[in-house]
Amino acid sequence: MIPALRACLARWITLLCLCAFYAGGVAAQEVPGVDMGQWGALATQAETAVDQADTPDATLETLREQLVTYREEFDAARNLNSTRIISLRDQLAQLAPAPAEGDAAPEAAELVAKRTELEEQLAQLTAPVQVAESAFTRANGLVGEIDAILRNRQTEMLVESVETPLNPANWPLAAEALRSAVSKLWNEVGPEEAAQRTADLRRNLPLIALWTLAGLGLIMRGRSWSKMIVTWLGRSGARGLGVWRFVASLLRIVFPLVGLTLLGFAARSTGYLGERGDQLALLVPVLGGFMLGFRWVAEQVFARDDDLALLDLNSKDRSEARFLVSGITLFIIFNMLLLRILELDDGGSLARTVVSFPFTVLISYGVYRIGRLLRHYGSETISQEGEEITRASTLGRLVRSLGTVSVVVAVASPLLQAAGFYNASAFVLHPTVLTLVILGLVLALQRFSADVYGAITGQGEMARDTLLPIFFGMVLLLLALPVLALAWGARVADLTEIWAAFRRGFAIGESRISPTDFLTFALIFTGGYLATRLAQGALKTNVLPKTKIDKGGQNAIVSGLGYVGIFLAALAAITGAGIDLSSLAIVAGALSVGIGFGLQNIVSNFVSGIILLIERPISEGDWIEVTGGQSGFVRDISVRSTRIETFDKTDVIVPNADLVSGTVTNFTRGNTVGRVIIPVGVAYGTDTRKVERILMEIADAQPMALANPPIQVLFLNFGASSMDFEIRIFLRDVTWLNLVKNDVNHEIARRFAEEGIEIPFAQQDIWLRNPEVLRSAPDAGGSARGEIVAKTGAPDAAGSEGDEL
């Protein structure tokens, strides 16, 4: 009775201690490395900002950045003490369950004390994890709310309606706003400041002149210099000319861009530009870089040389496309400059839509013309070896689709702005142009990667048609997706949010799989796979050839090592990545039933392949005959099937299950000794002993014949037309069977002709019944009528057969 009371009292004390711990300790628990006070204040401030409808976007973005920082810290804290927590839970699971209340059998005091100690340690270790989980959920929810608010505001801005630029009453107002903004670009000063500015200009004039001359020289001569470099490389026959041509073409961007930067410095050094003018001077090199980049992409995609053009258009269409891209780029630059000038002067939406509308029309017209060119790409047919082949490649379909989209956008954008939807017009037009440029850049970089690969491998331009450059293009396209998303209005925060979610991974049951787990799995499995292949190569080339194991046994050992090594590599990769598959056991068990029925033949062939490799009833190089009469040499034994090369040099793929369950004749298992049987018939009346002696001499003369077992010449039957003999010869290599039979038959024919021995053959005599019918005159149709009856008669005395017709 007393021990039972003591155990019950101990349990109650434990429960009270745990309750007190959770009520006080957990509530005050801090996450290591995180100031929970600042976090609470930030979370409260973010919740207040989210609840207020007029919170500026900049404030929300700032709060979001801070929330993301805390969220990453809480996410890392969720894995605190994970190894120790798992160990404590395993120890608690190994203890016997606590007896139910009122149980007559008390629990030992040692078990009670141990369980109490483990539970206290577990509660202390899991407390910061639970706090981090709660804080992470709160931070993640606030980030999601801020993103939703910003996306909604962006959507509302797109459908916002402003004044139409087609109203003539708005034109003077927009012109006055633009004139006022331009006038404020210059720095207006008094007489004394003007004199000082003039003195500074004179002092800096040599440097300004040097920068100006250098900038103009780079802008005006940079293109010709890059051409000279490409021409020199072509004449020198440098290896990887495509690579160097690509690098030299980049100088068409670098030289003018440096020149624009020098001109900007020179303009700012004069002192005549105001604060806004200085900002525009800094903007000019950036806009110039965009213009040069667009033109460079156009020159790569629509190159003047047919061999260098990335899109297979005729020279006239490529020239028109280059001109259109240059025009579109200039209009975009001028439009951005004017809009920037209005923005510096806080110009309203009226001035922006009126000033930008002519440029929108011109840019849309250029996009429309380019779209028309792209829509006809690949629609023509080419002749190859007398056949008409229509180009329907993936690139062609993509280019035509882009052409269609460009035409639609070029028509819709001016109409939207004319209707007052200025933001929507800009949203569809400019991202479309950027998309075309980015995809053209992807094509250019894909060609460059192919040229680099060709220069490394020595294939040259032939490498452009290989598979690896296509893989490079797919990788480049994946890398371009974030840039395309930014071009179409996605925020950088949206991309970072996607990346953060990707890094956190996804949950399967109680397990979470992250990209780090996948990378660890891939590295460990790749290392195990390579180690397995190296071990197989060492065994096959260095170890096994020095043993007495036959070739089939060597191949079986090498294949078995490969299967075991890959299995162990996969097991080590799963364990090393920390992937817990226990939560998938129920799902895998349910799927295994259906998969078992669907893949039972494959599983049967797999198991049969393992049996063939272990028992080795057949080996590579064996001459076998399987059910169905297929005969040939075994060339390969894989897990699922076996490849047999017939004597016609055709491959027959036989499932391994058929080899295990069916009848297989192996002519060369263990050794190559085999017997050839050659039947011979002679005419009745021939001396049989003479025939036996001649055949024995012929057989003895064969170099492939074995002396033991001895050669046999047997007189077997009295046939219908001949006396039947058989020559039975054991050969040291049965694969020479047909050649030996050929030589023996030739020798038999020669010796029988010399000895006057006749080889009988079946004969037929034809007897005509009613021959007078055949002699009758032909009828109107020109054919003779008669009754033809065929009957095979018994052999006559001469050994012939008679037919009565």
Side-chain angles (χ1 to χ4, degrees), residues 108-178:
E110 292 81 2
L111 292 179
V112 174
K114 186 63 176 177
R115 181 179 291 106
T116 302
E117 179 185 357
L118 294 177
E119 288 176 348
E120 290 177 356
Q121 294 180 15
L122 182 62
Q124 185 177 2
L125 292 175
T126 56
V129 177
Q130 293 172 353
V131 174
E133 287 279 1
S134 176
F136 174 83
T137 304
R138 186 181 183 186
N140 194 46
L142 289 173
V143 170
E145 291 184 41
I146 292 176
D147 288 339
I149 292 174
L150 294 177
R151 281 192 293 267
N152 291 335
R153 290 181 180 180
Q154 189 177 18
T155 304
E156 292 173 357
M157 185 182 298
L158 289 178
V159 298
E160 180 184 0
S161 177
V162 298
E163 296 83 353
T164 174
L166 298 181
N167 187 359
N170 296 328
W171 298 349
L173 299 177
E176 178 61 24
L178 180 61

Side-chain angles (χ1 to χ4, degrees), residues 536 549-564 605-620 634 636-642 656 659-660 669:
Q536 284 182 295
I549 304 175
D550 59 280
K551 183 178 179 182
Q554 294 179 13
N555 293 332
I557 293 174
V558 172
S559 299
L561 178 62
Y563 300 142
V564 173
N605 290 325
F606 178 82
V607 175
S608 300
I610 300 298
I611 294 174
L612 290 177
L613 291 175
I614 295 176
E615 294 185 354
R616 296 191 294 113
I618 60 175
S619 302
E620 292 186 16
V634 177
D636 181 60
I637 302 176
S638 63
V639 176
R640 191 193 67 84
S641 61
T642 297
N656 289 331
L659 297 177
V660 174
R669 177 61 180 167

Side-chain angles (χ1 to χ4, degrees), residues 52 74 95 105 247 250 311 315 324 379 427 429 446 505 524 531 534 541 543 586 613 626 649 688 700 789:
Q52 295 176 355
F74 292 137
L95 296 178
V247 175
L250 294 177
L311 294 183
S315 58
L324 291 173
S379 59
F427 176 78
L429 181 59
Q446 193 268 344
I524 296 177
L534 289 175
T541 58
V543 179
I586 299 177
L613 291 175
V626 298
K649 294 300 180 181
T688 58
D700 284 335
V789 180

Side-chain angles (χ1 to χ4, degrees), residues 127 153 165 235 315 334 344 361 371 388 395 453 478 534 679 696 712 783:
R153 290 181 180 180
R235 292 176 179 176
S315 58
F334 283 126
L344 292 175
V361 174
E388 294 294 326
L395 177 62
Y453 176 70
L478 289 176
L534 289 175
M696 182 63 71
Q712 291 181 323
S783 62

